[in-house]
Amino acid sequence: QEREYRLRAIRGAREQWAQARPPRALHPYLERKGLSAVGTNALRVHGDALIVPVFWRDRLMSIQSITPDGQKRFWTGAPVKGGALVLDRPRAALTAVCEGLATGLAIYQSVRHASVIVAFDAGNLLHVVNHLRPKGNVVICADNDHGTQARRGFNPGREKAENAAELIGAGVAWPESIEGTDFADALLEWGQSGHKRIERQILAKARYVT
């Protein structure tokens, strides 16, 4: 029963993906985040929503749709655990793993020789790292949930990233001294110097994984 339901959901997600089209212009959500089109060739649009593929071993398992104002939802019932979007770069010297799409694009556009793995949320970081086992220079780029920390005494973004990093011996980076939580926020807040500051912070934390 449950397997049937899941397979139906995966089929639905794939049908929606097949109907989506490559974007003709930069999606308003990405524009608002101060991002460029670099690294966006895996994305599509359907209506006014940005459609982000979620892959498991090269097979589309689910999709995430993002509205122009940034509301996100996954295809109901389709599995996301362990699923990722890899923003690949030939001969990359570094692999960065992060939570959300905008964060992944901010890193991809700032660290010019990095491949980026988008895990979609903090809880999925460990599953994705365990499944994909990145090697070479690897850094897990955490969301710095300082608001949650101030209110509730723990920082889920950083804790989950540290768990994932520990599994393979990777480094952990997060944006420091910003109002927001992730490297996409940092890019907006830091303005002109944003790309360089992000690159510096991430390269400083990368560790070699064999």
Side-chain angles (χ1 to χ4, degrees):
Q1 202 95 44
E2 197 179 312
R3 186 163 176 274
E4 261 311 295
Y5 171 72
R6 210 169 52 229
L7 289 173
R8 258 209 314 278
I10 293 170
R11 267 203 303 278
R14 286 176 181 167
E15 277 161 25
Q16 179 89 318
W17 176 251
Q19 288 164 20
R21 293 283 166 258
R24 290 221 181 91
L26 192 64
H27 190 267
Y29 170 72
L30 301 178
E31 203 169 5
R32 244 191 35 249
K33 292 275 190 180
L35 296 161
S36 76
V38 173
T40 62
N41 48 354
L43 309 177
R44 294 185 184 179
V45 285
H46 192 274
D48 65 355
L50 184 65
I51 307 294
V52 189
V54 183
F55 291 103
W56 169 263
R57 296 207 173 104
D58 298 337
R59 288 166 56 201
L60 187 85
M61 298 305 279
S62 185
I63 53 176
Q64 183 186 51
S65 64
I66 306 178
T67 61
D69 65 355
Q71 292 176 52
K72 302 173 187 168
R73 53 183 295 259
F74 289 110
W75 191 263
T76 308
V80 175
K81 184 175 168 180
L85 172 63
V86 180
L87 308 175
D88 219 354
R89 251 198 189 105
R91 297 181 301 283
L94 172 85
T95 303
V97 188
C98 68
E99 290 189 34
L101 173 72
T103 306
L105 288 170
I107 294 165
Y108 192 85
Q109 291 170 17
S110 300
V111 189
R112 293 302 171 86
H113 54 276
S115 283
V116 178
I117 300 170
V118 176
F120 296 101
D121 63 53
N124 204 29
L125 286 170
L126 185 72
H127 301 299
V128 167
V129 165
N130 189 31
H131 172 51
L132 293 176
R133 293 278 167 173
K135 292 190 174 47
N137 289 307
V138 183
V139 60
I140 314 293
C141 296
D143 283 19
N144 185 7
D145 297 318
H146 51 81
T148 310
Q149 188 161 17
R151 284 193 314 275
R152 299 169 57 193
F154 69 104
N155 192 316
R158 278 171 52 183
E159 284 173 23
K160 296 239 170 18
E162 274 155 11
N163 292 344
E166 210 172 293
L167 184 71
I168 57 168
V172 184
W174 59 84
E176 313 215 12
S177 57
I178 61 165
E179 296 275 310
T181 59
D182 58 42
F183 281 113
D185 298 331
L187 190 60
L188 271 182
E189 290 183 37
W190 290 338
Q192 287 307 140
S193 65
H195 290 296
K196 286 209 160 52
R197 283 179 74 176
I198 288 172
E199 184 170 51
R200 272 205 307 277
Q201 289 202 4
I202 289 174
L203 292 183
K205 301 292 185 186
R207 281 165 67 182
Y208 198 78
V209 175
T210 50

